[in-house]
Amino acid sequence: MTVALVRIRLDHAPALLAFERENRAFFAARVPDRGDAYFAEFAARHRELVEAQEAGEIHFHLLVDPAGAVLGRVNLVDVDPVAGTAELGYRLAEAATGRGLATSGVREVARLAREEYGLRRLTAVVSHGNDASRAVLVRAGFGAVGAVTLEDGEPGTAYELDLGGSGGRERSGTSS
């Protein structure tokens, strides 16, 4: 099956909402739940995200199958074009795990970050115990750079990928 990485558009809202609803429990077992308000206010929030993307403040991408179903998302938030940085986040549908889609999506977004968005460094944070997400980052060339406390108070590890100007280089570090 061919999976395409595409930037979010307004017409993706129904498929993206279906993805989030269908995988809510799966995601909530790994990261803090988005809460009921996220789903109740989805259409307005989606519109705001597309507008923010058009303004260059974020870069949101979907992994979409040939039928238009969303299999995952790979997002760049906190984009700072002056510093050339952004924070990477991603999630994959439970049924799509184990096929390398997250890794290929993260690698492709890193390429876009360097070549299309003019970024030089990506950061990401993974909670301790989320070994699948940690493995995706490592396979995509990110290196651990230190311990962090996540918004929900849980311990995590910060990762970084130096995109440089030469196709991205791994920054080495140690996991805490």
Side-chain angles (χ1 to χ4, degrees):
M1 168 179 20
T2 303
V3 175
L5 180 82
V6 297
R7 287 172 63 86
I8 63 162
R9 303 182 310 256
L10 287 175
D11 65 326
H12 285 131
L16 185 54
L17 180 57
F19 163 80
E20 292 290 347
R21 281 187 174 144
E22 291 165 8
N23 292 283
R24 185 176 183 179
F26 176 68
F27 296 148
R30 287 150 188 78
V31 295
D33 185 63
R34 294 185 185 273
D36 293 337
Y38 174 84
F39 296 95
E41 301 163 5
F42 187 84
R45 185 177 187 315
H46 185 74
R47 220 175 5 266
E48 290 170 4
L49 291 174
V50 172
E51 290 170 4
Q53 178 169 265
E54 290 170 356
E57 299 166 7
I58 60 173
H59 301 287
F60 276 34
H61 309 82
L62 302 177
L63 294 164
V64 181
D65 74 10
V70 174
L71 302 177
R73 0 177 10 157
V74 185
N75 303 326
L76 296 175
V77 299
D78 296 332
V79 174
D80 183 339
V82 175
T85 60
E87 183 173 341
L88 175 100
Y90 51 92
R91 53 179 52 199
L92 203 63
E94 183 175 16
T97 60
R99 296 188 277 166
L101 294 176
T103 301
S104 64
V106 167
R107 285 177 176 155
E108 179 62 10
V109 167
R111 184 193 67 75
L112 290 170
R114 181 184 65 249
E115 295 177 9
E116 301 292 326
Y117 311 144
L119 301 177
R120 296 184 300 277
R121 184 171 38 99
L122 299 180
T123 59
V125 176
V126 176
S127 62
H128 289 182
N130 192 341
D131 294 336
S133 285
R134 181 197 52 76
V136 165
L137 291 175
V138 170
R139 283 193 300 268
F142 283 74
V145 293
V148 296
T149 301
L150 304 176
E151 289 178 17
D152 62 359
E154 293 295 316
T157 302
Y159 288 81
E160 188 173 281
L161 177 65
D162 179 0
L163 299 172
S166 60
R169 295 183 304 271
E170 179 180 337
R171 176 178 171 157
S172 61
T174 57
S175 179
S176 300

